[in-house]
Amino acid sequence: MISKVKVWGVAVLLVVFLAGPCFASRFGAYENGALKIQDPHHLLVFKEGSATQSRTITVQPERIVRAAWNGRYLELVLEKGGKTHERVYESFDSYQDME
């Protein structure tokens, strides 16, 4: 007969295994990598620990003023027409503009 401890152990491992990807960064190996504003419309996001492998985030018609990691999110301060606003990226192709 299977003991309750083994059943609970398997259940906990299954939950951790299935829920793990939900908490992982959507930036993958690029999370917390170096950021470089290449020009006012392009931000290079480098793979963590790499000086050569990068991906680009492009914004138009806004201009990038500042970029920084905030936990697993990438926050950009953008300027358009003398006004600034914040854009929060949760992956390379998913973002939300903040007021």
Side-chain angles (χ1 to χ4, degrees), residues 34-93:
L35 304 173
K36 179 182 178 187
I37 298 174
Q38 187 174 22
D39 61 50
H41 302 289
H42 297 92
L43 174 71
L44 296 178
V45 181
F46 287 89
K47 195 176 236 184
E48 190 171 21
S50 174
T52 56
Q53 292 181 307
S54 65
R55 291 192 57 185
T56 304
I57 292 178
T58 303
V59 296
Q60 296 261 347
E62 301 98 343
R63 300 169 57 91
I64 301 170
V65 175
R66 187 173 57 247
W69 290 104
N70 184 0
R72 64 183 206 166
Y73 299 101
L74 178 58
E75 296 180 348
L76 273 60
V77 176
L78 305 174
E79 182 268 329
K80 180 181 175 186
K83 295 182 179 181
T84 61
H85 71 278
E86 190 172 308
R87 179 174 289 171
V88 177
Y89 283 82
E90 57 184 36
S91 71
F92 283 106
D93 53 86

